[in-house]
Amino acid sequence: MDLGLKGKRALVCASSKGLGLGCARALAEAGVDLVMNARGAEALEASAQAIRDDFGVQVTTVACDVTTEAGQAQVIEAAGAADILVNNAGGPPPGMWTDWEREDFIKALDANMVTPIALIKALVPGMMERGWGRVVNITSQSVKAPIAVLGLSNSARAGLTGYVAGTARQVAGKGVTINNLLPGIHATDRADALDRGVAEREGLSMDEAKAKRCATLPVGRYGTKEEFGAACAFLCSQHAGFIIGQNILLDGGGVNATL
């Protein structure tokens, strides 16, 4: 399928590894030039060079913390007249509701709600002027089914979801779509960290902790960054112009819900 993206330009945040990298590679395979961001310069440049070698697209790297105002300014300048924005940032740490104070919530909101909103506000006006644009926010399955130990993430990502629900419908008439991808457990560093926490709490090996989590999923396995990236690329494609303000689960059936 021709996604109609050849020659487009995308800013993909937190894309040196994991789900962000999966999205960057899928867009590059469709012919999209990239601005890739991550905090670690070495891993970022290695991933960027692999994309250049594999797909022959232009890749600009910006090593910074996109959750800071200075980092946002850097990626916005590098993105220029970007056609596509993929918002992504690591989730807050797990814990119990009794552990979190105001500062913890502010930090989570800054990273997982305020930062994507700031990038949307910076880049979407240009997309509207040009009559075409795509925004995909990587959020979490916790938006649909809250996860108790991820209360900080539940709160911040739910806030972003509410913002997108209204904003997406205000910009759709100018050819710009905004949608959210809600990952369940995928084979990433985040999954390793969560499994390690389970293993330590329950006295299990990492393999046992992973097997226990896999058993809760109808598909019986973790997702891959490649299939997640393919879903992102489709939402960015010429075929997705009628998909507006949606929250699309990629969770292996883990959320048991009718709607």
Side-chain angles (χ1 to χ4, degrees):
M1 178 187 292
D2 179 10
L3 299 183
L5 294 177
K6 187 173 179 59
K8 300 290 188 183
R9 182 175 178 84
L11 168 59
V12 186
C13 299
S15 53
S16 64
K17 54 187 176 181
L19 300 183
L21 178 57
C23 294
R25 289 188 62 85
L27 290 170
E29 187 174 9
V32 177
D33 295 322
L34 301 174
V35 176
M36 295 176 62
N37 154 259
R39 285 176 294 180
E42 185 175 351
L44 177 62
E45 186 52 44
S47 295
Q49 190 57 51
I51 288 175
R52 296 183 189 106
D53 294 342
D54 291 345
F55 305 113
V57 298
Q58 297 181 14
V59 183
T60 300
T61 57
V62 183
C64 67
D65 183 351
V66 76
T67 68
T68 67
E69 290 187 6
Q72 291 160 24
Q74 286 182 261
V75 296
I76 289 166
E77 181 179 3
D83 306 290
I84 296 166
L85 166 63
V86 179
N87 274 315
N88 184 33
M96 293 296 293
W97 63 274
T98 52
D99 298 334
W100 302 315
E101 304 297 339
R102 183 179 188 277
E103 182 179 342
D104 300 306
F105 281 99
I106 295 300
K107 187 175 181 179
L109 290 169
D110 275 341
N112 297 121
M113 187 181 84
V114 177
T115 290
I117 290 173
L119 297 180
I120 287 169
K121 288 184 67 177
L123 297 182
V124 164
M127 297 178 189
M128 294 171 69
E129 289 177 6
R130 295 186 295 275
W132 196 95
R134 300 286 188 264
V135 179
V136 175
N137 303 299
I138 300 176
T139 63
S140 170
Q141 68 175 12
S142 66
V143 170
K144 291 277 190 180
I147 301 169
V149 297
L150 299 181
L152 294 174
S153 178
N154 298 341
S155 305
R157 298 190 194 280
L160 176 62
T161 303
Y163 174 85
V164 167
T167 304
R169 289 159 175 88
Q170 293 176 295
V171 304
K174 296 294 186 180
V176 180
T177 72
I178 309 178
N179 292 288
N180 304 318
L181 281 178
L182 283 55
I185 196 75
H186 284 69
T188 64
D189 289 348
R190 174 73 163 172
D192 288 343
L194 294 173
D195 286 343
R196 190 172 299 110
V198 171
E200 291 172 356
R201 286 194 305 271
E202 301 185 14
L204 304 174
S205 69
M206 283 288 285
D207 286 343
E208 289 170 333
K210 180 176 180 179
K212 182 176 180 179
R213 193 186 301 272
C214 284
T216 68
L217 301 175
V219 296
R221 65 174 178 84
Y222 288 1
T224 70
K225 62 179 180 291
E226 289 79 14
E227 57 197 351
F228 189 90
C232 178
F234 178 78
L235 280 181
C236 295
S237 76
Q238 64 181 345
H239 308 293
F242 210 59
I243 303 175
I244 305 296
Q246 297 303 300
N247 295 283
I248 299 173
L249 278 167
L250 291 89
D251 70 337
V255 173
N256 189 5
T258 301
L259 298 175

